[in-house]
Amino acid sequence: MLADKPCDSNANRLYYADNAIQVIIPSRPNRLEPVPLDEEAYKDCNQVERFFSRMKQYRRLATRYDKTSAAFLGFWYLAAALDWLI
């Protein structure tokens, strides 16, 4: 589970531990004992968020103009390829 600080709670961490899910969440500033964080893995979160932000610039994706899921997915592939090329 890769998430931001608002998702850091004891209940969330306990749920992930019970379900054997690896947690990569930075500790909130008010946590008494900060939990260690894998900084390299957390850097990927920013890249993913920036990618989706760039994809939302395409109004067709943000508002889902396409009627069929195949056309919608096809434009996602096209937009991701254009993003990769630019």
Side-chain angles (χ1 to χ4, degrees):
M1 176 63 177
L2 184 61
D4 289 329
K5 288 181 183 181
C7 297
D8 180 36
S9 70
N10 292 334
N12 284 346
R13 289 187 181 272
L14 182 61
Y15 173 79
Y16 299 135
D18 289 344
N19 292 307
I21 299 172
Q22 181 183 4
V23 177
I24 302 172
I25 302 173
S27 297
R28 288 183 146 191
N30 62 352
R31 187 177 276 279
L32 297 177
E33 285 187 29
V35 180
L37 174 68
D38 183 4
E39 295 287 338
E40 291 299 318
Y42 187 67
K43 286 181 183 179
D44 294 339
C45 182
N46 186 13
Q47 290 179 346
V48 170
E49 288 176 1
R50 288 191 343 233
F51 170 74
F52 279 105
S53 177
R54 287 190 307 269
M55 292 298 105
K56 288 180 183 179
Q57 299 302 314
Y58 295 102
R59 187 172 181 194
R60 182 176 176 174
L61 291 177
T63 58
R64 191 174 173 140
Y65 281 152
D66 297 312
K67 298 283 184 195
T68 64
S69 60
F72 182 67
L73 183 62
F75 192 76
W76 262 102
Y77 287 148
L78 178 64
L82 288 173
D83 183 63
W84 180 70
L85 289 173
I86 296 174

